[in-house]
Amino acid sequence: MRIAVYPGSFDPITNGHLDIIERASKIFDKVVVGVLNNKNKKPKFTSEERVMLIKKVTKHLPNVETASFDGLLVDFAREHSASVIIKGLRTVNDFEYEFQMALLNKTLDNDCETMFMMTNSKYSYISSSMVNELAGYNGDLAGLVPTDIIHYIKEKYKH
Ligand code: PNS
């Protein structure tokens, strides 16, 4: 069985992330979305909220699971018997950092391969930080994040 992990902060999940998850779920037998619970970062959404939002928008994908992790990505992949790490690339700006991470992860676990998927061009400008900035100004999130979770994000920004 070919299992892949798709890691990220997902603070919150965007349409760009969901597009990668949907496409990866067609290629792999199972995709485990890994939500980084980094104690040094100050995310807008808790890891429980981020996992809940991802589960809500991936419930139509039976071979996708979501879990949080707070250690090394290669350990998370190993725990889930995944031999592939999926990363999405939007622009050339993403490349350098991702290239470095891929080489580092390969050094940490030679059996784990990083595979890059090009983002759908219609989502290439979307990032979680832009979603948060827009939500902070009560901007329209339609098209940026899955429709099902817009109300949840807006609610978060009311407080
Ligand atoms: O969505 P992001 O914030 O770009 O995702 C970054 C992520 C979660 C993929 C990356 O920070 C990560 O893999 N963190 C886990 C810790 C780790 O394994 N780091 C690499 C070796 S030091």
Side-chain angles (χ1 to χ4, degrees):
M1 183 143 118
R2 279 268 166 231
I3 305 173
V5 290
Y6 176 48
S9 299
F10 303 107
D11 188 36
I13 185 168
T14 67
N15 276 339
H17 294 132
L18 184 56
D19 176 65
I20 298 279
I21 296 169
E22 283 173 342
R23 285 157 58 204
S25 75
K26 292 183 191 145
I27 301 169
F28 294 94
D29 297 311
K30 185 160 113 181
V31 175
V32 183
V33 182
V35 176
L36 180 67
N37 184 12
N38 186 341
K39 293 183 180 81
N40 302 321
K41 269 194 181 178
K42 278 234 163 287
K44 180 70 193 171
F45 297 85
T46 66
S47 60
E48 291 81 8
E49 286 175 310
R50 288 179 277 148
V51 167
M52 180 273 290
L53 292 175
I54 297 169
K55 284 189 171 166
K56 206 174 163 69
V57 300
T58 56
K59 52 177 192 285
H60 61 298
L61 303 168
N63 62 337
V64 172
E65 283 176 18
T66 306
S68 63
F69 72 104
D70 56 12
L72 284 177
L73 175 58
V74 287
D75 292 336
F76 178 75
R78 211 177 286 127
E79 275 164 35
H80 289 271
S81 310
S83 50
V84 174
I85 294 169
I86 298 166
K87 289 293 188 80
L89 286 180
R90 286 168 301 195
T91 61
V92 282
N93 287 333
D94 285 343
F95 181 77
E96 198 154 318
Y97 175 66
E98 292 298 344
F99 184 63
Q100 232 181 339
M101 291 274 284
L103 294 183
L104 181 59
N105 284 327
K106 184 90 177 123
T107 311
L108 294 173
D109 185 346
N110 193 40
D111 295 329
C112 203
E113 292 292 341
T114 299
M115 289 196 181
F116 293 103
M117 291 180 69
M118 300 312 295
T119 193
N120 187 318
S121 60
K122 64 182 185 207
Y123 301 134
S124 65
Y125 65 99
I126 304 176
S127 64
S128 297
S129 49
M130 272 191 45
V131 167
N132 281 313
E133 183 159 353
L134 200 55
Y137 292 113
N138 201 24
D140 186 5
L141 300 179
L144 303 187
V145 299
T147 314
D148 285 1
I149 65 169
I150 290 180
H151 67 281
Y152 194 93
I153 298 170
K154 284 195 166 286
E155 203 51 41
K156 185 93 181 165
Y157 275 90
K158 272 191 188 160
H159 309 297

